[in-house]
Amino acid sequence: MEIEVLRLGHRLPRDERISTHVALVARAFGARSITYSGQHDAGLEESVKKICETWGGPFKIKYNPDWRNLIKNFRGIKVHLTVYGEPLQNIIDNLRETPRDVLIILGGPKVPSEVYQLADFNISITLQPHSEVSALSIFLHEFFRGKELMKTFENAKVRVIPQPRGKKTLFLNNAPD
Ligand SMILES: C[S@@+](CC[C@H](N)C(=O)[O-])C[C@H]1O[C@@H](n2cnc3c(N)ncnc32)[C@H](O)[C@@H]1O
């Protein structure tokens, strides 16, 4: 079972930062990949790839402007995170049991109504509007029951050694360029 994230409607320059944060949360909290639609952004791809090279793991970033076909052809469960959906706490127990891959769909600008129809589940995390970054992180945290907090990444060049104060890192194998 793998988790993939689809971030809809990336806009330049407005979404550069938030889409990067969505990608970093996806990676750190246990998703396998992120695909974004909207405007192509080589800088976004480059910064996510650099993080993966330094901090490890198999995470991938992809661009696909054809979000409709991506959702339609996804072989697995499609979960759209939206303030208008059913509360997460009513659905997450059933979702966790699935052996199938899960596609998490996040909006940006106005989400086309078709997305609500194509999704198997429209899920809200609180009944208040907030952000794609928080929605994704809470969803993954609940989905993995907090196990993602202990996640380690293969082929990392650097690892954090947790400290009560200050910063300590360990450089592994090859130091970052
Ligand atoms: C900042 S919101 C903008 C939504 C946009 N204004 C619209 O009308 O569709 C961006 C995305 O964050 C996610 N999001 C925000 N609040 C949420 C909530 N309470 N529950 C689940 N997802 C949420 C949704 O995926 C949403 O599409």
Side-chain angles (χ1 to χ4, degrees):
M1 196 286 301
E2 298 289 354
I3 295 206
E4 296 182 27
V5 173
L6 170 62
R7 196 272 196 272
L8 298 170
H10 177 72
R11 296 160 294 180
L12 278 168
R14 179 179 166 152
D15 292 332
E16 282 172 339
R17 211 170 141 78
I18 194 147
S19 294
T20 304
H21 290 181
V22 169
L24 297 188
V25 163
R27 173 188 169 274
F29 287 60
R32 177 53 70 101
S33 69
I34 186 167
T35 302
Y36 70 100
S37 66
Q39 288 182 267
H40 183 252
D41 185 348
L44 167 66
E45 294 178 20
E46 193 55 32
S47 53
V48 173
K49 280 177 192 160
K50 273 192 183 148
I51 291 282
C52 296
E53 273 170 35
T54 304
W55 294 88
F59 188 78
K60 296 274 179 269
I61 180 162
K62 299 174 248 183
Y63 174 65
N64 186 350
D66 192 354
W67 55 266
R68 188 177 286 105
N69 267 325
L70 191 157
I71 298 173
K72 280 185 183 165
N73 295 330
F74 184 79
R75 297 167 145 261
I77 299 180
K78 303 154 203 179
V79 174
H80 172 218
L81 300 184
T82 165
V83 67
Y84 306 106
E86 300 177 86
L88 174 79
Q89 58 273 27
N90 295 355
I91 291 176
I92 194 73
D93 286 341
N94 290 338
L95 263 184
R96 276 196 208 102
E97 304 305 321
T98 184
R100 304 179 71 200
D101 290 348
V102 176
L103 179 69
I104 305 173
I105 306 160
L106 298 159
K110 188 160 172 49
V111 175
S113 59
E114 197 180 344
V115 173
Y116 293 76
Q117 308 307 320
L118 290 171
D120 298 306
F121 297 96
N122 292 288
I123 294 184
S124 67
I125 294 165
T126 77
L127 302 180
Q128 307 303 316
H130 42 89
S131 102
E132 45 275 62
V133 177
S134 52
L136 178 62
S137 50
I138 298 285
F139 179 90
L140 292 173
H141 185 62
E142 289 290 319
F143 186 88
F144 290 121
R145 293 183 192 269
K147 291 201 177 83
E148 82 290 349
L149 298 177
M150 277 89 74
K151 194 169 168 55
T152 54
F153 291 85
E154 282 175 13
N155 302 321
K157 292 179 179 170
V158 61
R159 185 184 301 155
V160 170
I161 310 298
Q163 302 292 301
R165 282 185 199 82
K167 300 186 206 173
K168 191 169 180 183
T169 48
L170 188 64
F171 290 95
L172 310 152
N173 305 322
N174 316 303
D177 305 328

